[in-house]
Amino acid sequence: MTAPLHEAHPAGPGRALPDTQQGMRRRNLARVMHAVSAQGPLSRAAVASRIGLTRAAVSTLVDELIRSGLLEELGPERPGRRVGRPGSALAVSGHGPAGIGAEVGVDHLAVCAVDLRGEVRARAVRYGANRGRPPEPVIEELAGLVRRVVAEAERAGLWPAGLAVAVPGLVARDARTVVRAPNLDWHDTDLGALLPVEYPLTVGNEANFGALAELWLGDGTPRDFLHVSAEIGIGAAVVVDGALLRGTRGFAGELGHVPVRPDGPKCPCGGRGCLEQYAGEEAVLRAAGLEPGEDRVGLLAGRAAEGDEDVRGALHDAGTALGIALTGAVNLLDPESVVLGGALAGLAPWLLPSLEAELDRRTAGPACPVAVSRLGSEGPLLGAAHSVVRAVLDDPAAVAERA
Amino acid sequence: MTAPLHEAHPAGPGRALPDTQQGMRRRNLARVMHAVSAQGPLSRAAVASRIGLTRAAVSTLVDELIRSGLLEELGPERPGRRVGRPGSALAVSGHGPAGIGAEVGVDHLAVCAVDLRGEVRARAVRYGANRGRPPEPVIEELAGLVRRVVAEAERAGLWPAGLAVAVPGLVARDARTVVRAPNLDWHDTDLGALLPVEYPLTVGNEANFGALAELWLGDGTPRDFLHVSAEIGIGAAVVVDGALLRGTRGFAGELGHVPVRPDGPKCPCGGRGCLEQYAGEEAVLRAAGLEPGEDRVGLLAGRAAEGDEDVRGALHDAGTALGIALTGAVNLLDPESVVLGGALAGLAPWLLPSLEAELDRRTAGPACPVAVSRLGSEGPLLGAAHSVVRAVLDDPAAVAERA
């Protein structure tokens, strides 16, 4: 549901850059960065053999990346690892550009800085309900956290290559405008105007950033999967061949409003019997006879763990509804797996049995496997920061020009 | 649900070919072919300006394409259209490679040959029920039709660049094996073994080929749409940014087994209340109190046109079920439009009112527009033949090597 930085930097290794000598150079710079990032430290010779270019060509590219501060030399290799004449091992720089990720949650704000190596180098969180607050003060507070995190990152020798903001709502394809965030009560809010920064800004749906985090940081996540998460609403994101399916307006992934029981209760979206009416946090709390408070998932997980039969029953029914909606989604998309992330990850022990039973009995062949994210509610924030880092790896030349 | 020829010829203008001088040449050959195909006849200068290469570079590429019989010169341009020194207009060849498309229907077999200009140059059809017949005699009959069509094409100066076969079932990603075709009662049938030809063979799902036909030949079809068709089952195909979404196993697009009423009637797929139980041809015939015969759609359309209330009521209910299933699909995929194709196109007048009402009332914003295909049941056959033609345009060098 977002246009992540990949659109602002239209590269991706070997993708959209123009088919010219200059474009080829930029794509090859990206290949070197990706090789060192994925498999480094590597000697120049090892990079050359991995990406299929001559050593001389790779040396020119590497020199350029070292000059712009994206790669660094670790000094001569240890003798034991030497192949051919002694070479210096290359690593992705821990002092160059950093990706700044931010999250506007219903109950918190968070910001972090991630370096090109993927390490979180600075972080700030502020708890407090944002529901019903107008965008201006919320974004002002977020901007304060961003300034703090950027200052800390700068003290560590990093500089911000971009800021990506995850929001719980639909974001237009301009990657700036929050079209609708029902759980914040924001409509047509241009975050670009509210959050002026001197580096590229991308606004995206939190479920999408959560899915990207799973793709990039998850353990053995396939390149085709459906990511289902929840804060108050149900969010989902579709990843196809390692890329987000975003939809014409940027709204793809609205699993929460898939009709589960077409004559069921009315939903604020205008429909009836939508998944959110059965498996949204508030619906589950209601079904369990609990009041919605601040730590809704914690409350549900705690009670379920204690053996509260009402809570367990409510989660069982939510799992059934998720299974029905996912049957439709799996039939349409044929993903390699379904990943439960965000708040749903914490509730998985009580959702999964009925969810999987439902998927199973409605599927002719072997049912699609359901995995549980280990990133949980950290996903959207990490996905946002890493989307900036990936954009740098995908088109290092663009960043070098700004360095 | 198929791996159409685009995988066998892994090109596409500027896509998967290796990033070398040789790869660049191949991509540029494809750009020339696509420019002339889409906008020809064109002079060399006009091609050069359209694809952003120098005239000298384009001339070298054009000469190569003329030598391999993919382009032809129409002779000197008429004086009125002349720009600069007189040039000869270029057109896609009507005598070079042809795409052979074939369709295995439940009630018919069809084969056609389409030249690079997109014209159908030969065609053969045989009516007769294939349901329950083993694959061998059916494919033998199909091979006879293929031979007839190829012979006719050859007499017209064409040669087969490939054969694509549309089947009403799930096809593995090897683009040869029919994993499951319930309405033919075929399982794990390797058509590659049954249909030996001296040119590349691709087997694909008929709904996918129908969607591709709509994409390539439809009138103003967007690049992001959901194509819904029916023969006996309900087929669908998802097109994202001008390409089929195929799914991990090649099975994406199974709209027919999206649960519409989760406690509804049992479906042979193992589920309950699947869309096919409400909107499949046989379900509609049953609901209308009619016997399934050979021309099922013709029967329904005829009765509905005559004002038969039972038939109109059955189609109204089928439209409602389609609307519920499509609400979920539209929420997940955010397509620019839904296109009703295949048999559904002929029934559109009676399906659309309830279908659109259902989509409308279940959608918060403006509902996704629903269009009706003008290709109707010709879609899969044309899509199959054109998939071969597109593969030639996407990588003319591969074909030139075989010419």
Side-chain angles (χ1 to χ4, degrees):
Chain A
M1 304 194 216
T2 85
L5 270 173
H6 298 84
E7 230 173 40
H9 303 261
R15 278 289 182 98
L17 286 171
D19 214 349
T20 58
Q21 297 290 345
Q22 189 59 10
M24 219 151 97
R25 187 189 123 260
R26 287 177 75 162
R27 282 191 296 271
N28 284 333
L29 285 169
R31 288 198 177 94
V32 172
M33 281 304 290
H34 274 284
V36 177
S37 167
Q39 302 167 310
L42 289 177
S43 68
R44 290 168 193 236
V47 172
S49 89
R50 270 173 183 72
I51 66 175
L53 290 178
T54 66
R55 205 175 141 168
V58 164
S59 263
T60 311
L61 298 164
V62 162
D63 290 342
E64 188 173 338
L65 292 168
I66 290 175
R67 271 198 309 278
S68 14
L70 300 178
L71 286 185
E72 51 190 47
E73 295 193 275
L74 299 181
E77 284 187 275
R78 279 157 294 163
R81 299 179 59 202
R82 189 167 61 203
V83 177
R85 70 186 176 85
S88 176
L90 299 164
V92 168
S93 170
H95 303 280
I100 313 296
E103 185 183 8
V104 179
V106 176
D107 299 317
H108 78 294
L109 299 174
V111 177
C112 74
V114 169
D115 67 20
L116 290 189
R117 295 173 176 178
E119 278 170 42
V120 177
R121 300 285 292 275
R123 197 180 145 84
V125 187
R126 197 206 119 268
Y127 292 96
N130 295 316
R131 206 168 190 176
R133 289 176 76 198
E136 293 76 9
V138 175
I139 296 302
E140 204 179 301
E141 216 159 46
L142 188 74
L145 295 183
V146 168
R147 277 191 300 273
R148 236 166 75 192
V149 163
V150 167
E152 192 178 332
E154 283 174 345
R155 281 194 297 275
L158 296 160
W159 57 270
L163 167 64
V165 183
V167 296
L170 299 177
V171 177
R173 286 196 69 140
D174 67 0
R176 286 177 52 131
T177 309
V178 180
V179 175
R180 202 161 62 231
N183 295 317
L184 294 171
D185 205 18
W186 292 4
H187 297 272
D188 300 310
T189 305
D190 177 1
L191 293 199
L194 296 179
L195 192 54
V197 282
E198 319 81 80
Y199 32 83
L201 169 72
T202 309
V203 181
N205 172 273
E206 49 110 16
N208 280 359
F209 280 127
L212 290 174
E214 204 55 43
L215 174 70
W216 294 328
L217 311 174
D219 195 17
T221 309
R223 288 171 60 80
D224 291 87
F225 66 102
L226 178 63
H227 187 258
V228 188
S229 54
E231 199 179 32
I232 283 191
I234 300 269
V238 181
V239 175
V240 177
D241 198 19
L244 276 178
L245 187 150
R246 303 199 283 110
T248 305
R249 296 165 301 172
F251 297 177
E254 277 287 275
L255 190 74
H257 300 285
V258 166
V260 166
R261 301 189 184 275
D263 306 314
K266 263 196 99 51
C267 180
C269 82
R272 271 189 178 282
C274 299
L275 175 60
E276 222 158 273
Q277 294 302 309
Y278 301 95
E281 278 178 14
E282 301 204 332
V284 176
L285 286 167
R286 226 173 18 243
L290 298 174
E291 283 299 310
E294 289 226 342
D295 182 18
R296 297 171 299 275
V297 171
L299 176 66
L300 289 170
R303 293 285 182 97
E306 288 161 13
D308 182 318
E309 284 305 318
D310 290 340
V311 170
R312 287 194 173 189
L315 289 171
H316 175 275
D317 293 349
T320 300
L322 275 163
I324 294 169
L326 286 172
T327 298
V330 164
N331 266 307
L332 261 181
L333 301 167
D334 185 22
E336 199 168 329
S337 75
V338 170
V339 180
L340 295 190
L344 293 180
L347 299 171
W350 303 283
L351 293 169
L352 273 183
S354 54
L355 190 167
E356 289 183 320
E358 203 65 32
L359 253 186
D360 238 22
R361 74 181 187 98
R362 292 183 183 276
T363 313
C368 182
V370 181
V372 178
S373 165
R374 293 195 307 187
L375 303 172
S377 53
E378 282 293 282
L381 181 65
L382 289 175
H386 276 268
S387 75
V388 178
V389 168
R390 301 292 292 205
V392 174
L393 300 180
D394 285 351
D395 191 11
V399 173
E401 283 157 18
R402 288 173 22 230
Chain B
M1 306 194 215
T2 84
L5 269 173
H6 297 85
E7 229 173 40
H9 303 260
R15 278 291 182 97
L17 285 171
D19 214 350
T20 58
Q21 297 291 345
Q22 189 58 9
M24 217 151 98
R25 187 190 123 258
R26 288 177 74 162
R27 282 191 295 271
N28 285 333
L29 286 169
R31 289 197 176 94
V32 172
M33 280 304 289
H34 274 284
V36 177
S37 167
Q39 303 166 309
L42 290 177
S43 69
R44 289 166 193 236
V47 172
S49 89
R50 271 173 181 72
I51 66 176
L53 290 178
T54 66
R55 203 171 145 173
V58 164
S59 263
T60 310
L61 297 164
V62 162
D63 289 343
E64 188 173 338
L65 292 167
I66 290 175
R67 269 199 310 278
S68 16
L70 300 179
L71 288 184
E72 52 190 46
E73 295 193 276
L74 299 180
E77 283 189 276
R78 280 155 294 162
R81 300 178 57 204
R82 189 168 60 203
V83 177
R85 71 185 175 84
S88 177
L90 298 164
V92 168
S93 170
H95 303 281
I100 313 297
E103 185 183 9
V104 178
V106 176
D107 301 316
H108 78 295
L109 298 174
V111 177
C112 74
V114 169
D115 67 21
L116 290 189
R117 296 173 175 176
E119 279 170 42
V120 176
R121 301 284 292 274
R123 197 180 145 83
V125 187
R126 197 205 121 270
Y127 294 95
N130 295 316
R131 207 169 190 176
R133 288 177 76 198
E136 292 76 10
V138 174
I139 296 302
E140 202 180 301
E141 217 159 46
L142 187 74
L145 295 183
V146 168
R147 279 190 299 273
R148 237 166 72 192
V149 164
V150 166
E152 193 179 329
E154 284 174 344
R155 281 193 298 275
L158 296 160
W159 56 271
L163 167 63
V165 183
V167 296
L170 299 177
V171 177
R173 286 196 70 140
D174 67 0
R176 287 176 52 129
T177 308
V178 180
V179 176
R180 201 159 64 230
N183 295 318
L184 293 170
D185 204 19
W186 293 4
H187 297 272
D188 300 309
T189 306
D190 178 1
L191 293 199
L194 296 179
L195 192 55
V197 283
E198 319 81 81
Y199 31 85
L201 169 71
T202 309
V203 181
N205 172 274
E206 50 110 16
N208 279 0
F209 280 127
L212 290 173
E214 205 55 43
L215 174 71
W216 295 327
L217 311 173
D219 196 16
T221 309
R223 288 170 61 78
D224 292 270
F225 66 102
L226 178 64
H227 187 257
V228 188
S229 55
E231 198 177 35
I232 285 190
I234 301 270
V238 181
V239 175
V240 177
D241 198 20
L244 276 178
L245 186 150
R246 303 200 282 112
T248 305
R249 295 165 303 173
F251 297 176
E254 276 287 275
L255 190 73
H257 299 286
V258 167
V260 166
R261 301 189 185 276
D263 306 314
K266 261 195 99 52
C267 180
C269 81
R272 273 191 175 281
C274 299
L275 175 61
E276 222 159 272
Q277 295 301 311
Y278 301 95
E281 278 178 17
E282 300 203 334
V284 176
L285 287 167
R286 225 174 16 244
L290 298 175
E291 283 298 310
E294 288 224 342
D295 182 18
R296 297 170 300 276
V297 171
L299 176 66
L300 288 170
R303 293 284 181 98
E306 288 162 12
D308 183 319
E309 285 305 319
D310 289 339
V311 170
R312 288 194 174 188
L315 289 171
H316 175 275
D317 293 347
T320 300
L322 275 163
I324 294 169
L326 285 171
T327 298
V330 164
N331 266 306
L332 261 182
L333 301 167
D334 185 22
E336 199 169 328
S337 74
V338 170
V339 179
L340 294 190
L344 293 179
L347 299 171
W350 303 282
L351 293 169
L352 272 183
S354 53
L355 189 166
E356 290 183 319
E358 203 62 34
L359 254 185
D360 240 20
R361 76 182 186 98
R362 291 183 184 274
T363 314
C368 182
V370 181
V372 178
S373 166
R374 294 195 308 187
L375 303 172
S377 54
E378 282 294 281
L381 181 65
L382 289 174
H386 276 267
S387 74
V388 179
V389 168
R390 302 291 293 206
V392 174
L393 299 179
D394 286 350
D395 191 11
V399 173
E401 284 156 17
R402 288 174 23 230

